[in-house]
Amino acid sequence: MSTANRLARETSPYLRQHADNPVDWYPWGPEALEAARESDRPILLSVGYSACHWCHVMAHESFEDPATAGLMNETFVNIKVDREERPDIDAIYMDAVQAIAGGGGWPMTVFLLPDGRPFFGGTYFPRQRFTDLIQRIDEAWTTKREGIESDAERLAEAIRRGGGLPTPSTLSGAGNAPRPGAASPLPAAAEALSARFDPEWGGFGQAPKFPQPSILDMLLQAWRRSGDQRILEVVTTTLDAMASGGIYDHLAGGFARYSTDRRWLVPHFEKMLYDNALLTRVYLHAWQATGAERYRQVVDETVGYLLSPPVRQEGAGFSSAEDADSEGVEGRFYVWDRDEVLAVAGTETADWYGVSEAGNWEGKNILFRPERGALARPPTVEAGRRALLATRGRRVRPGLDDKVLTEWNAMAVAALAEAGAVLDRPAWVETAVDVAEFLLGELRRGDGRWLRSWQHVSAADRETAPDGEGPGQGTGTGVPAGRSGQARHLAYAADYAWLVEAFTRVAEATGRARWIGEARRAADDLLRLFSDPDQAGFYTAGSDAEVLIARPMDTYDGALPSANSVAALALLRLAALTGERSYRDRAEQLLAVMGPALATAPTAFSTMVSAADLSSEGITEVAVTGTRPDLVATVRRAYRPEVVLAWGERYDSPLWEGRDGEGDGGLAYVCREWACQAPVAEPAALAASL
């Protein structure tokens, strides 16, 4: 009979998945580091996340095996980290693994000195290779300790040197960069991406293919500036191929993490909150740009997925992810036999979704649309879809990571607020407000410090729950009395940057001044806690956070836009709405320092490029006085990423000075740097001025 290890006291679903391992796991913290120092043993650091398929494979092969676990316990102090809760730890040691192995991924396995300096690492290790590696490290620790420590110091120093903003010399293909701030880097970025575009299947490069919503949004902005239909075709081809492929859930909406093939057919089946929040916005912008109803359909269905349990938690926020596996088998929840589809939904539905006797993946069928972009379902197929969804609902659902992350929830709030406002879906805006209120109530401490992660805690677990940074508790006293959840870990720059964006979008969607105040408060704390005064960027962790072997700075835009990119964009938009020049100045300082990198490798900084374009070309501010929903709707209708909107309640801003709407029947003012044209009263005149 196994005994639960220390991870049973954690709230992270990923850590709790390992609570019954025979490995003597520690969570990251003083207890683990002190144990390593006192025993003079190296640390085995294992980093992953709940929806990671290969993390599960390594756990089943090695961490659940008593012999392997025994070897680990004899040799190391073993530490488990949820990368989604601790992106600072993940970033530092991923840099180490990439330096050692030339690439990275999860699960990440890193071997450290007792003081935290890494000396070797990799990703997934099959059990035999893993046990062989443990034995070799144990021997080297005994016989070649001096060499290990020397390697660790060199590696740690390299990580520290690489922790700042990128420069042309750190980027492949660096050449003579133009002076930063001279012009928008957007045209060059669009040209570079067009050269990598797959004209047959959309996306960029070959398999595997990731949705890359930040890149697609940047390209839409480039099309908006240039009117070049070739750029728009890159976006629409990609969006159509993704929404028609198996990466899209044709029954319940929402997108899987990525496609393992070039055609978007075979997904890696996990579904992440951040992908679906970001893709909601891309498809919304595509609908605004083109008017194509298929993009609105994808928005409707993806939002439907986000608002349905178990993703939307009643009275709380959004869960982080659903696993790829159910009943221990990857994709089982999502795939079909042809006979089952025929019995449940009929021939027309089977043909609509490309179902065959042989199947298209391991003898099973992943549903997809053979006719790309033809998403509007005829009545018979819609009835079949509902029947298949009901049948699938009786299957064992994939594992759920139900922790509520501030960053990812703020992404979802921003998406719902913007989509609800544009598509006139008040319930979506109301949900955005509800989740924003939840974040304020549960993930912001009484002293104003934001926290990273919130988790339901059962009554049985409350008695043994570890101390954390509970909301309203100052330094933190665990689970607050009367509440069902616990918030833990100091929030990071990405959390704060997305909160600025989310609160600003809620303000634009609702017309309520309160949300501008919350956006300003988050922005002020972002500048206070995370700023690097020498480089103008924002560190990943705050000045009040745990001191690690390095202080990373997140700049590259990958699956998620970097904290610095989101901060630059959000600060520029908030500055335009409030007239607070310090926000704009800080964003422009960051963009100026990043200028050579944006010119050299713009595709690595897609969201930063979008921000640089707004800075270079300028933002249009629109203020609507009085009660004029027709004028507000006119601003929202078309795709205008360069426009910010003030309406409804007044707040401290030059956009509102001398304009209360009383006696004028409601007017729209179109402004640049708060200098406004003559006001207009008719929607057509407003549209023409934009």
PDB file of all heavy atoms in Angstrom, residues 1-8 18-25:
ATOM      1  N   MET A   1       0.851  -1.192   0.000  1.00  0.00           N
ATOM      2  CA  MET A   1       0.000   0.000   0.000  1.00  0.00           C
ATOM      3  C   MET A   1       0.884   1.239   0.000  1.00  0.00           C
ATOM      4  O   MET A   1       1.742   1.408   0.847  1.00  0.00           O
ATOM      5  CB  MET A   1      -0.911   0.006   1.228  1.00  0.00           C
ATOM      6  CG  MET A   1      -1.831   1.210   1.298  1.00  0.00           C
ATOM      7  SD  MET A   1      -2.976   1.073   2.705  1.00  0.00           S
ATOM      8  CE  MET A   1      -3.822   2.633   2.537  1.00  0.00           C
ATOM      9  N   SER A   2       0.660   2.136  -0.965  1.00  0.00           N
ATOM     10  CA  SER A   2       1.509   3.305  -1.094  1.00  0.00           C
ATOM     11  C   SER A   2       1.063   4.389  -0.119  1.00  0.00           C
ATOM     12  O   SER A   2      -0.084   4.455   0.299  1.00  0.00           O
ATOM     13  CB  SER A   2       1.460   3.840  -2.529  1.00  0.00           C
ATOM     14  OG  SER A   2       0.156   4.275  -2.844  1.00  0.00           O
ATOM     15  N   THR A   3       2.015   5.231   0.233  1.00  0.00           N
ATOM     16  CA  THR A   3       1.740   6.359   1.105  1.00  0.00           C
ATOM     17  C   THR A   3       1.945   7.634   0.308  1.00  0.00           C
ATOM     18  O   THR A   3       2.938   7.781  -0.397  1.00  0.00           O
ATOM     19  CB  THR A   3       2.685   6.339   2.314  1.00  0.00           C
ATOM     20  OG1 THR A   3       2.524   5.103   3.008  1.00  0.00           O
ATOM     21  CG2 THR A   3       2.371   7.494   3.253  1.00  0.00           C
ATOM     22  N   ALA A   4       0.998   8.558   0.416  1.00  0.00           N
ATOM     23  CA  ALA A   4       1.102   9.797  -0.338  1.00  0.00           C
ATOM     24  C   ALA A   4       2.333  10.576   0.093  1.00  0.00           C
ATOM     25  O   ALA A   4       2.694  10.612   1.271  1.00  0.00           O
ATOM     26  CB  ALA A   4      -0.157  10.631  -0.135  1.00  0.00           C
ATOM     27  N   ASN A   5       3.001  11.193  -0.874  1.00  0.00           N
ATOM     28  CA  ASN A   5       4.165  12.014  -0.565  1.00  0.00           C
ATOM     29  C   ASN A   5       3.746  13.466  -0.320  1.00  0.00           C
ATOM     30  O   ASN A   5       2.558  13.777  -0.235  1.00  0.00           O
ATOM     31  CB  ASN A   5       5.207  11.882  -1.681  1.00  0.00           C
ATOM     32  CG  ASN A   5       4.642  12.286  -3.032  1.00  0.00           C
ATOM     33  OD1 ASN A   5       3.996  13.325  -3.165  1.00  0.00           O
ATOM     34  ND2 ASN A   5       4.881  11.466  -4.044  1.00  0.00           N
ATOM     35  N   ARG A   6       4.718  14.352  -0.230  1.00  0.00           N
ATOM     36  CA  ARG A   6       4.437  15.741   0.120  1.00  0.00           C
ATOM     37  C   ARG A   6       3.530  16.444  -0.880  1.00  0.00           C
ATOM     38  O   ARG A   6       2.888  17.441  -0.538  1.00  0.00           O
ATOM     39  CB  ARG A   6       5.750  16.526   0.229  1.00  0.00           C
ATOM     40  CG  ARG A   6       6.674  16.074   1.343  1.00  0.00           C
ATOM     41  CD  ARG A   6       8.016  16.771   1.242  1.00  0.00           C
ATOM     42  NE  ARG A   6       8.994  16.229   2.175  1.00  0.00           N
ATOM     43  CZ  ARG A   6       9.686  15.108   1.966  1.00  0.00           C
ATOM     44  NH1 ARG A   6       9.510  14.420   0.833  1.00  0.00           N
ATOM     45  NH2 ARG A   6      10.551  14.684   2.865  1.00  0.00           N
ATOM     46  N   LEU A   7       3.493  15.966  -2.113  1.00  0.00           N
ATOM     47  CA  LEU A   7       2.693  16.647  -3.131  1.00  0.00           C
ATOM     48  C   LEU A   7       1.194  16.530  -2.862  1.00  0.00           C
ATOM     49  O   LEU A   7       0.399  17.269  -3.451  1.00  0.00           O
ATOM     50  CB  LEU A   7       3.022  16.103  -4.521  1.00  0.00           C
ATOM     51  CG  LEU A   7       4.492  16.243  -4.960  1.00  0.00           C
ATOM     52  CD1 LEU A   7       4.656  15.799  -6.403  1.00  0.00           C
ATOM     53  CD2 LEU A   7       5.001  17.666  -4.773  1.00  0.00           C
ATOM     54  N   ALA A   8       0.799  15.625  -1.982  1.00  0.00           N
ATOM     55  CA  ALA A   8      -0.613  15.508  -1.618  1.00  0.00           C
ATOM     56  C   ALA A   8      -1.116  16.772  -0.939  1.00  0.00           C
ATOM     57  O   ALA A   8      -2.330  17.034  -0.917  1.00  0.00           O
ATOM     58  CB  ALA A   8      -0.826  14.300  -0.701  1.00  0.00           C
ATOM     59  N   HIS A  18       1.085  13.370  -8.954  1.00  0.00           N
ATOM     60  CA  HIS A  18       2.272  12.623  -8.536  1.00  0.00           C
ATOM     61  C   HIS A  18       2.295  12.363  -7.033  1.00  0.00           C
ATOM     62  O   HIS A  18       3.315  11.910  -6.505  1.00  0.00           O
ATOM     63  CB  HIS A  18       3.524  13.391  -8.962  1.00  0.00           C
ATOM     64  CG  HIS A  18       3.645  13.541 -10.449  1.00  0.00           C
ATOM     65  ND1 HIS A  18       4.283  12.612 -11.239  1.00  0.00           N
ATOM     66  CD2 HIS A  18       3.171  14.486 -11.290  1.00  0.00           C
ATOM     67  CE1 HIS A  18       4.205  12.994 -12.512  1.00  0.00           C
ATOM     68  NE2 HIS A  18       3.533  14.131 -12.557  1.00  0.00           N
ATOM     69  N   ALA A  19       1.185  12.609  -6.371  1.00  0.00           N
ATOM     70  CA  ALA A  19       1.155  12.475  -4.915  1.00  0.00           C
ATOM     71  C   ALA A  19       1.297  11.033  -4.453  1.00  0.00           C
ATOM     72  O   ALA A  19       1.763  10.775  -3.336  1.00  0.00           O
ATOM     73  CB  ALA A  19      -0.134  13.079  -4.361  1.00  0.00           C
ATOM     74  N   ASP A  20       0.897  10.078  -5.278  1.00  0.00           N
ATOM     75  CA  ASP A  20       0.980   8.662  -4.902  1.00  0.00           C
ATOM     76  C   ASP A  20       2.200   7.958  -5.493  1.00  0.00           C
ATOM     77  O   ASP A  20       2.340   6.741  -5.361  1.00  0.00           O
ATOM     78  CB  ASP A  20      -0.296   7.924  -5.321  1.00  0.00           C
ATOM     79  CG  ASP A  20      -1.519   8.391  -4.545  1.00  0.00           C
ATOM     80  OD1 ASP A  20      -1.362   8.682  -3.347  1.00  0.00           O
ATOM     81  OD2 ASP A  20      -2.605   8.479  -5.131  1.00  0.00           O
ATOM     82  N   ASN A  21       3.075   8.701  -6.157  1.00  0.00           N
ATOM     83  CA  ASN A  21       4.316   8.099  -6.656  1.00  0.00           C
ATOM     84  C   ASN A  21       5.154   7.586  -5.487  1.00  0.00           C
ATOM     85  O   ASN A  21       5.177   8.208  -4.416  1.00  0.00           O
ATOM     86  CB  ASN A  21       5.153   9.126  -7.408  1.00  0.00           C
ATOM     87  CG  ASN A  21       4.561   9.604  -8.721  1.00  0.00           C
ATOM     88  OD1 ASN A  21       5.066  10.559  -9.298  1.00  0.00           O
ATOM     89  ND2 ASN A  21       3.492   8.993  -9.200  1.00  0.00           N
ATOM     90  N   PRO A  22       5.894   6.510  -5.685  1.00  0.00           N
ATOM     91  CA  PRO A  22       6.862   6.110  -4.658  1.00  0.00           C
ATOM     92  C   PRO A  22       8.074   7.027  -4.577  1.00  0.00           C
ATOM     93  O   PRO A  22       8.920   6.861  -3.699  1.00  0.00           O
ATOM     94  CB  PRO A  22       7.260   4.701  -5.094  1.00  0.00           C
ATOM     95  CG  PRO A  22       6.961   4.632  -6.552  1.00  0.00           C
ATOM     96  CD  PRO A  22       5.780   5.526  -6.776  1.00  0.00           C
ATOM     97  N   VAL A  23       8.168   7.995  -5.484  1.00  0.00           N
ATOM     98  CA  VAL A  23       9.231   9.001  -5.410  1.00  0.00           C
ATOM     99  C   VAL A  23       8.972   9.918  -4.212  1.00  0.00           C
ATOM    100  O   VAL A  23       7.836  10.347  -3.971  1.00  0.00           O
ATOM    101  CB  VAL A  23       9.290   9.836  -6.700  1.00  0.00           C
ATOM    102  CG1 VAL A  23      10.367  10.922  -6.592  1.00  0.00           C
ATOM    103  CG2 VAL A  23       9.544   8.948  -7.910  1.00  0.00           C
ATOM    104  N   ASP A  24      10.009  10.238  -3.481  1.00  0.00           N
ATOM    105  CA  ASP A  24       9.908  11.133  -2.327  1.00  0.00           C
ATOM    106  C   ASP A  24       9.955  12.584  -2.819  1.00  0.00           C
ATOM    107  O   ASP A  24      10.916  13.315  -2.584  1.00  0.00           O
ATOM    108  CB  ASP A  24      11.054  10.843  -1.354  1.00  0.00           C
ATOM    109  CG  ASP A  24      10.953  11.658  -0.073  1.00  0.00           C
ATOM    110  OD1 ASP A  24       9.839  12.122   0.247  1.00  0.00           O
ATOM    111  OD2 ASP A  24      11.984  11.848   0.587  1.00  0.00           O
ATOM    112  N   TRP A  25       8.890  12.986  -3.501  1.00  0.00           N
ATOM    113  CA  TRP A  25       8.859  14.309  -4.119  1.00  0.00           C
ATOM    114  C   TRP A  25       8.745  15.419  -3.079  1.00  0.00           C
ATOM    115  O   TRP A  25       8.040  15.304  -2.077  1.00  0.00           O
ATOM    116  CB  TRP A  25       7.666  14.444  -5.054  1.00  0.00           C
ATOM    117  CG  TRP A  25       7.698  13.671  -6.329  1.00  0.00           C
ATOM    118  CD1 TRP A  25       6.853  12.660  -6.699  1.00  0.00           C
ATOM    119  CD2 TRP A  25       8.591  13.862  -7.437  1.00  0.00           C
ATOM    120  NE1 TRP A  25       7.168  12.209  -7.959  1.00  0.00           N
ATOM    121  CE2 TRP A  25       8.232  12.923  -8.430  1.00  0.00           C
ATOM    122  CE3 TRP A  25       9.667  14.724  -7.677  1.00  0.00           C
ATOM    123  CZ2 TRP A  25       8.906  12.830  -9.642  1.00  0.00           C
ATOM    124  CZ3 TRP A  25      10.330  14.622  -8.886  1.00  0.00           C
ATOM    125  CH2 TRP A  25       9.952  13.694  -9.851  1.00  0.00           C
TER     126      TRP A  25
END
